[in-house]
Every structure is written in structure tokens, then in C-alpha cells.
Amino acid sequence: MSLRRAVAAPFAKDGSDRLGESEFVVALSLDRDWFSPDQAKRLVDVAASEGLVEREGDDLVVTFDPSEVSLPDGFAPDESILRERSTFERVLAAVVQHGEDKQSAVAAINRLQDELGVTLEAAAVVYARRQGIDVGEFAERIRGDL
């Protein structure tokens, strides 16, 4: 949620769904003083890999409605959001968001990996699908990595 809030802030302030990448970086580094310019550029990469923004030339286009994201008073994102999550972490987050217990899900995914003899990511996708959770985009990524 913190990543989504950090990405939404410059777009919400501007009232637009499109910003130049340099405008986005300035908004996060100079205007809000949340990150250094290099860290703000890294945030762009992470946000793009998470599907929160798309690059169109020198512009960033947000893929969600930034006006629907709340920014509590005093909010400041943690630097941990600058780390890209693995496919496994993304699938697990979708499973947990669906209401599954994280520890139980990880244990079940590990068992499934052993039973099927597949990668951890593939086992996570199979587990999620068995729970009725749509993780098709992750399945496509895993197929592309093969």
C-alpha cells in the first residue's frame, strides 16, 4: 500500500494520470523530500515492474486512479518500497489479500512445490489458482522465464 501511495502522490497533486518522468522524480525528491533523485528514479522502475505505471516515451501513465488513494497526514514512505518484489512475493501478496493466512499459504506452497517438482513461483501460482485467485499475469511471467 505504501508503494501505491508514494506513486499516487505526484499524480494526485497534479490532478493528472500522466506526468513526465522528470516531473515525477522532482515531485518525490524535491517537493516532498521523500527520496533522493536516484531513489525516485528507482521508484519509477519498481512502480513499472509492479504495473502501477506504464512508460510512454518520456512520460509515466498511472494505471490506477490516484485520487482514490488516501495520503494520511504525515505519511512518508519507507525506503523498503524501492525493492522489487519477486514473482513469488507478488503471488503470495495476492493470496494474503484474498484472505489466506500467510504462514499457512507458504507452508502449503512449499508442500506443493515438493509434490509437483516445480519452482516455488510455479507452485505459488498453482496454489493461488486452486484457491480461486486470478494470478494469470504472474503465470505468464513464469512461462516467459522458462
Side-chain angles (χ1 to χ4, degrees):
M1 189 55 146
S2 186
L3 176 61
R4 184 178 287 265
R5 284 182 173 150
V7 170
F11 291 100
K13 181 181 180 215
D14 193 58
S16 174
D17 65 350
R18 175 183 295 268
L19 286 173
E21 186 169 339
S22 60
E23 291 174 80
F24 184 84
V25 167
V26 166
L28 293 177
S29 60
L30 299 178
D31 295 348
R32 293 203 178 256
D33 197 28
W34 284 346
F35 301 106
S36 71
D38 286 341
Q39 288 174 318
K41 289 175 187 173
R42 175 76 182 128
L43 182 74
V44 171
D45 294 335
V46 172
S49 75
E50 294 279 340
L52 298 175
V53 296
E54 293 177 351
R55 287 185 164 109
E56 290 185 7
D58 292 337
D59 289 344
L60 298 175
V61 179
V62 69
T63 60
F64 61 94
D65 185 352
S67 68
E68 292 181 1
V69 177
S70 67
L71 285 176
D73 287 338
F75 170 77
D78 186 82
E79 286 185 23
S80 66
I81 68 172
L82 301 175
R83 184 181 68 80
E84 283 188 64
R85 296 186 301 170
S86 69
T87 301
F88 171 75
E89 290 171 314
R90 292 177 190 178
V91 173
L92 183 59
V95 167
V96 170
Q97 185 176 2
H98 189 260
E100 301 286 325
D101 174 67
K102 184 176 183 176
Q103 193 170 5
S104 299
V106 169
I109 291 167
N110 285 332
R111 282 192 303 275
L112 196 54
Q113 179 186 16
D114 288 340
E115 290 170 16
L116 300 177
V118 296
T119 66
L120 186 61
E121 292 82 4
V125 167
V126 170
Y127 178 81
R129 285 193 170 168
R130 287 182 178 176
Q131 305 306 311
I133 303 166
D134 179 18
V135 290
E137 70 179 88
F138 303 116
E140 290 302 318
R141 284 185 188 162
I142 291 169
R143 259 190 227 118
D145 291 343
L146 298 177

